[in-house]
Amino acid sequence: MRIRIVGAGAMGRGIAQWAAVAGHTVELCDVRTEAVTEATGFVRSMLDRAVQKGRMSATDAAAALDRLVPLDDPWAEGPDVGLVIEAVREDLATKAEVFGRLEQVLPASAVFATNTSSLSVTRIAAALKDPARLAGLHFFNPVPLMRIVEVVPGAATRPDIPPLLTDLVESCGHRAVTVADTPGFLINHAGRGLVTEALALLEETVSDPAGIDRIARDVLGLRMGPFELMDLTGLDVTAAVIDSIWDGFRHEDRLRPSYLTPNRVAAGLHGRKTGRGWFAYGPEAPAPQAEAPIVGDANRPVHVFACGPAPDGDAAALREALAAAGATVESGPEPSGEALVLVPVWGTTVASAVAAHRLPAGRTFGVDPLPAAGRRRVLAVTPAAEPAAARDARAVLARAADGGAPFAVSVVRDTAGSVAQRLLASVVSVSASIAERALATPADIDLAVTTGLGYPVGPLAWGDRIGAARMLELHRALHATTGDPRHRPTRWVTERASLGLALTDPGTSPADCVTGTTA
């Protein structure tokens, strides 16, 4: 296919490299001719590097460069062009003007695709004489490495275009997901679950950015913590995406922005690109502060107390793990006068357990029962906690069985569900709301998030690992404990927990019941 790419910036040149390597003839153009020259040189350097690293033969690299055709005039006639991919700046009027001019010089058979990441595909298409020929084709930077593309039909897009674009993307080695033309499309929308909840935890002083990031990495298994991720992306970009999705979904509580971001953006604390964001960067930046060493009495007796919605299995598992590590675990119904009381919390607070069961406030602590992806446990302390008792509890939790490496233990402020549970609950909840609105299929949601955001497992499959019924229990407990509508259970999770279905199961739709054949 002959593809014309309009816009030779970072995205345009990445798309050009991807398509040329896959065997397509690529016309690369820009209103700035020097941008085309720079982009062509960049693609050549990337292909040379691939040859040097043995990822491509010199013959294949030369052939790909031969298929890259610099074009002086973006509005030149192109009778053989089958697809146009626009990658100009994120401005509705600019994109509409580009396609309007292309419509005058290219054949009616040419399909138009916009690489917009935040604008309505339908609104861009509305400026055309034939809006049915345009769809969204959203790539991620760097295009050759980010092997996922969102195919976004507008309200008027011809039904044959999304499968055509899907076939093109997958024939070129990337994965394609079809998503609705809604704010943030799929990946940016799904990604709000992690960062908005992380910001909420910071607002509530549950932990600091480094502490939340450690838990996200070591308990949930994320490659990067949410604050590291915001610094890498740029807080200015992240804040704009959060606000646009919040506004686009008419202030849906689950997507609520934080008051923390506007001032940081105004102060230029954007992250790596400015040298300082949530963390400092550069040769003169101070080294990250190390975690405090374990200094308590690891031999102090503990009493594991089961209460609230957390099942007895959580308490039993913690008792067994601590006993295997050599800790003194009391077995009686009541804690002794010296024992530390550890409460596995599931969507609730330690403070509520203290009040409901008259537990000793100074030496009662929460423990997150989520199975850790790494060697980290999380201890939650209330304002009534005795510091010495908390240090002892941290030392007990650090113990490992069979002479293994000790656990790292994060100490956080008591909050409903603790840090990891709230992050996971939000990730699952936001993706479940995408599924219940039919903005994308469950399979596409999980594929897009694992490929585009690097999560260890898709959000819905992640929820299935916990279990739909237990996820519902967590959402209900968070909602009841906090009263915050951001935690209200989704219909998707509620129905599947009630019916014994997996969160990844699309289920039966009304259309399934009125179409098809009878046996």
Side-chain angles (χ1 to χ4, degrees), residues 6 24 27 37 73 79 128 141 167 222 232 234 333 359:
V6 182
H24 298 283
E27 298 178 352
T37 302
D73 181 9
L128 295 175
N141 193 33
D167 289 345
L222 296 171
L232 179 64
L359 300 172

Side-chain angles (χ1 to χ4, degrees), residues 377-443:
R377 289 172 171 155
V378 181
L379 182 75
V381 301
T382 72
E386 298 168 0
R391 289 191 287 271
D392 292 346
R394 187 167 180 245
V396 172
L397 287 177
R399 300 181 68 141
D402 301 324
F407 284 88
V409 182
S410 295
V411 180
V412 302
R413 183 183 296 274
D414 182 30
T415 185
S418 197
V419 173
Q421 289 172 36
R422 279 183 52 174
L423 293 176
L424 177 59
S426 183
V427 166
V428 173
S429 186
V430 169
S431 288
S433 71
I434 293 172
E436 73 181 23
R437 290 185 172 104
L439 306 184
T441 67

Side-chain angles (χ1 to χ4, degrees), residues 42-416:
F42 178 84
V43 172
R44 180 180 292 106
S45 69
M46 290 296 99
L47 296 179
D48 287 344
R49 181 181 300 180
V51 171
Q52 292 167 6
K53 293 188 174 183
R55 296 197 299 262
M56 175 181 285
S57 70
T59 301
D60 288 344
L65 278 175
D66 286 344
R67 290 189 289 269
L68 184 60
V69 181
L71 201 63
D72 293 334
D73 181 9
W75 326 121
E77 293 187 358
D80 298 326
V81 171
L83 171 66
V84 173
I85 302 175
E86 164 273 313
V88 303
R89 67 189 181 95
E90 283 288 280
D91 176 76
L92 182 64
T94 301
K95 291 178 184 291
E97 179 185 1
V98 165
F99 284 116
R101 296 186 67 173
L102 291 169
E103 195 174 33
Q104 298 175 27
V105 297
L106 295 181
S109 59
V111 172
F112 288 174
T114 173
N115 184 52
T116 183
S117 59
S118 60
L119 300 174
S120 165
V121 172
T122 299
R123 292 186 65 189
I124 296 171
L128 295 175
K129 294 177 183 176
D130 179 14
R133 71 193 297 189
L134 186 142
L137 198 60
H138 182 209
F139 293 82
F140 293 82
N141 193 33
V143 175
L145 300 180
M146 295 293 288
R147 304 174 71 85
I148 188 75
V149 183
E150 295 177 324
V151 176
V152 190
T157 303
R158 291 199 320 262
D160 64 297
I161 289 180
L164 182 150
L165 294 176
T166 296
D167 289 345
L168 170 72
V169 167
E170 298 200 335
S171 70
C172 294
H174 278 28
R175 302 296 299 273
V177 291
T178 301
V179 305
D181 183 18
T182 53
F185 304 142
L186 174 51
I187 293 176
N188 282 330
H189 184 175
R192 295 320 90 201
L194 178 67
V195 295
T196 55
E197 196 62 33
L199 289 164
L201 287 162
L202 185 61
E203 282 184 15
E204 298 166 28
T205 65
V206 174
S207 186
D208 61 10
I212 294 170
D213 278 359
R214 290 187 192 107
I215 293 169
R217 291 192 305 266
D218 297 345
V219 178
L220 296 180
L222 296 171
R223 295 178 188 171
M224 300 183 72
F227 293 97
E228 293 175 295
L229 180 61
M230 284 186 267
D231 275 359
L232 179 64
T233 304
L235 187 58
D236 53 336
V237 175
T238 298
V241 171
I242 290 173
D243 287 345
S244 68
I245 294 175
W246 159 254
D247 288 337
F249 280 99
R250 299 299 187 261
H251 298 181
E252 159 63 51
D253 290 299
R254 246 181 278 280
L255 304 169
R256 187 170 66 237
S258 169
Y259 69 79
L260 293 171
T261 54
N263 281 352
R264 298 186 74 84
V265 171
L269 303 176
H270 297 172
R272 289 180 179 272
K273 61 188 176 185
T274 61
R276 186 178 166 204
W278 299 109
F279 308 106
Y281 302 91
E284 298 182 1
Q289 186 173 359
E291 290 187 78
I294 304 291
V295 295
D297 179 5
N299 295 312
R300 188 163 173 176
V302 296
H303 179 91
V304 179
F305 189 85
C307 70
D312 288 339
D314 288 338
L318 182 58
R319 288 189 196 102
E320 183 180 343
L322 293 177
T328 302
V329 182
E330 295 184 347
S331 57
E334 299 291 334
S336 68
E338 290 299 317
L340 304 166
V341 182
L342 302 181
V343 183
V345 290
W346 191 250
T348 57
T349 63
V350 183
S352 63
V354 169
H357 302 280
R358 298 184 180 180
L359 300 172
R363 50 193 172 90
T364 298
F365 305 94
V367 179
D368 191 337
L370 273 177
R375 298 194 64 78
R376 180 174 297 277
R377 289 172 171 155
V378 181
L379 182 75
V381 301
T382 72
E386 298 168 0
R391 289 191 287 271
D392 292 346
R394 187 167 180 245
V396 172
L397 287 177
R399 300 181 68 141
D402 301 324
F407 284 88
V409 182
S410 295
V411 180
V412 302
R413 183 183 296 274
D414 182 30
T415 185

